Each structure stands twice: as structure tokens, then as C-alpha cells.
Amino acid sequence: MSYELYYWPTIQGRGEFVRLALEEAGADYIDVARESEGLAVMLRLMDHADHPPFAPPFLKDGDTIIGQTAAILLYLGARHDLAPKDPAGGLWTHQIQLTITDFIAEAHDTHHPVAASLYYEDQKAEALRRSAEFRKNRIPKFLDWFETILARNPASDAQLVGNRLTYVDLSLFQMVEGLSYAFPKAMKRVLKDVPRVAALHEAVARRPRMKAYLASPRRIPFNEEGIFRHYPELDS
Amino acid sequence: MSYELYYWPTIQGRGEFVRLALEEAGADYIDVARESEGLAVMLRLMDHADHPPFAPPFLKDGDTIIGQTAAILLYLGARHDLAPKDPAGGLWTHQIQLTITDFIAEAHDTHHPVAASLYYEDQKAEALRRSAEFRKNRIPKFLDWFETILARNPASDAQLVGNRLTYVDLSLFQMVEGLSYAFPKAMKRVLKDVPRVAALHEAVARRPRMKAYLASPRRIPFNEEGIFRHYPELDS
């Protein structure tokens, strides 16, 4: 049976981290809300499921519904050989993903520092301040941490965990891709200081399934409704 | 061997969610950074561990270091009977905790909407706007979600998962406790609409080990350096 992925149909957003894992695994899945009437199905499930997700994305596998991006990846990683089999390795991989979760939330809040329910234009002054801080302190702090993990990985400094691809490599690729879209000037500078992160980003993009996916219509282009938005005034 | 918990020594913060689980489990643990020289040990571990945590709290169990509050609770829950044994139940419990993680981050950002590195006083204008939104929309949205989960739990509407205490019940207790400290006026209103959440909060406080812990010097009082801060101007 196919997995059913539920996420907002017009943005990459948090759903993209799940899409990348499904695509790299070669898993059968339906991106339900992008099908006709799919959005209504998604909203109905959120309202009526026994285990209602707080927000998309969520994954349906038969009768099981799993919400929270990092929990979905924990589930998929174990089933599709995208994480180590041993419990300690699996938990370390998950811990890295949870730190990516924090990074994603901070990236989102650069353009919505007051309220997700308000327009960007109504919180632009706050966004300017928060983005300056994010560019100057937070992007370097997070990317340095990933660089350190790569440097300390005894098996390979080309992967975050062990010597094979895991789902966190895909998620770090997406972070770099998204931040480079949103903050091209800042990222050009920062990436010079984290060569292993930059190399991992390039290597993931070259993987056959990733290359095919990124060139396909299944990959929604970045836009100014998602998490990673390019507002030139927020970059410098 | 005792667990070693590492967290900032003067605040409840995210470490408190771990402390509550350790206390309810009756587990042996050392709150390392509160011991003499312990803070230096913590900072050294963060700098030099093979698997460096991005930030405290982290837990050391023998040679294993686990960072990220929700990952620590996933680990402890399985070992101390504070989560269901079946994989689907365990993942659902974890998913609830990850939503609490999101809620905690939003609570923190009410007083630090621009930058954790700046003083509250330097982002007070932004904090006023963000707190108004948090009080009006976000607290009710999150607490309604927990109320719904309790109402839909077929085993008991007194626990979030199954018919026995799990670590997410303890975490929800702490959220209500912290929000009631930070936003007493707003919470007094909101709690009337979520009677099951309010009852769960009271029931956790009455558990013998919780009662003993909360009255002990191990419980650090709330203060204006933690996640939950009482700034009267942010409540109404």
C-alpha cells in the first residue's frame, strides 16, 4: 500500500523534509493534498482523527497517522534503511533531526517574528531585526555545529552519521538549499567557513534519485508563502 | 550507575521536563551543573563530545550522551515505564511531546522575539506584540489540542495516552504550571475552557513523588531568567 503524505499543496515547507526521504527511498506515496479534493480530505482528517496531528505534515501508513516532521522521519528512516539500525545510532540521528527542527522554526520566524497569523508586511520592522540576528549569529552557530559533527564522524566526514546516507543528510541539504534561496548573500559568506556542509549539500544534489526529483514537477519551487522566503531587505 | 543530567543550574527551563520524568520514575540522577564545578564539566562536554549536543539539556547514561529534551524523554520513557511499550503508542506519545517542544519554543519567544542574545528590555516592543498574539491565539490553540486528545482517548480522559501516566502528562503539567506563572490572567480565563487539561494538571501535582519533588530544594523556583517569565506588561 502507498504511504499518504498530507501537507499544504503549494509550498515545500516542512513537508519537503518528508518528501526528500520518500523520494530517496524510492517509496510509493501519494501527496494527497495536491490531488483533486485532497486538501478537504486533509482538513477532515485533522479534525476527526483519533490521534489528530497538531499541524501538517503528517503521514498515513494504513491506519497509523504520524505527525511531526521529525517523528515521521524517525518512522521512515527505520523502515527504509535511511538510519542506523542500532538504537544508539538511531537516537543520535533523530537528535540531529530535532536540532534541524529548531533551525527550521527559527528560519520561519525571520519573516514572521510576531505572528504566523499576520502578513509579513505587518511585522516587517520586527522581521528586519530578527533576520539580522539570524544571519549574523544563528546561521553560523547551527552550521558550525553540523560542520563539527561531520568533522568528528569517525566513519566519514562526508555524512552526518556513519558512512552511509541517512535522512538527516537529506534534511541538511534542504536547509542549505532553503537558506541559500532566502539569504543568498549571507549564505555565500557562511558556506565558505563550513566546507564539509557545503560538500554534503552538493553530494546530495548529485544523487540520482534526488537529481530526478529536483528536476520533476513533484518538486514545488521555492516561493514567498513557505518557510524559506526571499525578501531582499532581510538579506545582506 | 546514576544518570547525569546536564542543564543550566539556575532555571527550570527545558531541563525541568527531564527532571520531572526522572523524579516520577524514582531514578537515581545527578543534576551535574548544580554541583560544585559542574558547570565547567557541562561546558567541556559540549565542546568535546563525539556527539556534541547543540544545547542543554542533555543526559549522560554511561557512555551515551543524549541531547534534545524530547529525545531524552523518548529514551527515559521506554526505560522507566513512562510510555507505552508498543511502537505505535510510543511514537504517538513522542509526537505529543514534540508538539509540547513547539509550544515551549513559542512561550520562550514571547519575551525574546528578536534574539536570545539580547536583553528583554531591548526587545520589549516586539515582546508586547508577540505576547498578545500568544495569549489570544496560540495558548488556546495548543491547549484545545490537548483537551481534544484527552477527550478522544478511549482508555481515559484523565491521561493523554492510554490509562496510565506517561511522560507527556508530566510535560503538560509543567506547561500549565509555567504558563500560569508567566501569564496568570490569561491562563485563568483559558483554563476554564479546557477542564480536562486543568484536571490533569491538578492530578499530576497530587502524585506523591511530584508533591515531594515540588516541595524540595531540587525544584528551582520560577524566575525571570527561564523560559516562563512573569512580566506583568505581557499578561492581560
Side-chain angles (χ1 to χ4, degrees), chain B residues 33-71:
Chain B
R34 294 173 73 184
E35 309 272 311
S36 165
E37 311 292 330
L39 193 56
V41 176
M42 177 170 103
L43 297 174
R44 209 154 48 229
L45 262 178
M46 289 181 65
D47 276 347
H48 297 293
D50 289 342
H51 291 175
F54 184 75
F58 55 96
L59 187 78
K60 200 162 172 298
D61 182 13
D63 286 337
T64 303
I65 291 181
I66 305 150
Q68 286 283 352
T69 308

Side-chain angles (χ1 to χ4, degrees), chain A residues 76-97:
Chain A
L76 290 175
R79 270 159 194 73
H80 295 280
D81 209 17
L82 285 172
K85 297 275 177 226
D86 66 292
L91 194 59
W92 169 233
T93 311
H94 185 50
Q95 180 184 328
I96 297 172
Q97 187 67 42

Side-chain angles (χ1 to χ4, degrees), chain A residues 154-208:
Chain A
S156 160
D157 73 348
Q159 320 283 163
L160 287 164
V161 180
N163 60 3
R164 295 177 52 204
L165 183 91
T166 64
Y167 62 80
V168 287
D169 295 325
L170 304 175
S171 290
L172 182 55
F173 160 81
Q174 175 66 7
M175 282 307 302
V176 172
E177 195 74 5
L179 291 170
S180 299
Y181 173 78
F183 304 102
K185 291 183 193 166
M187 283 298 282
K188 203 175 160 187
R189 285 193 303 272
V190 177
L191 279 176
K192 283 185 193 144
D193 297 329
V194 289
R196 293 176 184 85
V197 170
L200 173 60
H201 170 257
E202 296 302 318
V204 168
R206 283 194 304 269
R207 294 179 72 87

Side-chain angles (χ1 to χ4, degrees), chain A residues 47 49 51-52 54 67-68 92 94-95 98-99 102 109 113 115 117-118 122 126 129-130 133 142 145 152, chain B residues 47 49 51-52 54 67-68 92 94-95 98-99 102 109 113 115 117-118 122 126 129-130 133 142 145 152:
Chain A
D47 276 348
H51 291 175
F54 184 75
Q68 286 283 352
W92 169 233
H94 185 50
Q95 180 184 328
L98 290 174
T99 305
D102 294 342
D109 282 7
S117 62
L118 296 177
D122 295 329
E126 292 87 348
R129 282 193 81 191
R130 179 140 185 168
E133 162 72 15
F142 276 103
W145 185 72
R152 290 190 196 164
Chain B
D47 276 347
H51 291 175
F54 184 75
Q68 286 283 352
W92 169 233
H94 185 50
Q95 180 185 330
L98 290 175
T99 305
D102 293 342
D109 282 6
S117 62
L118 295 176
D122 295 329
E126 293 88 347
R129 282 193 81 191
R130 180 142 185 166
E133 161 73 15
F142 276 102
W145 185 73
R152 289 192 196 162

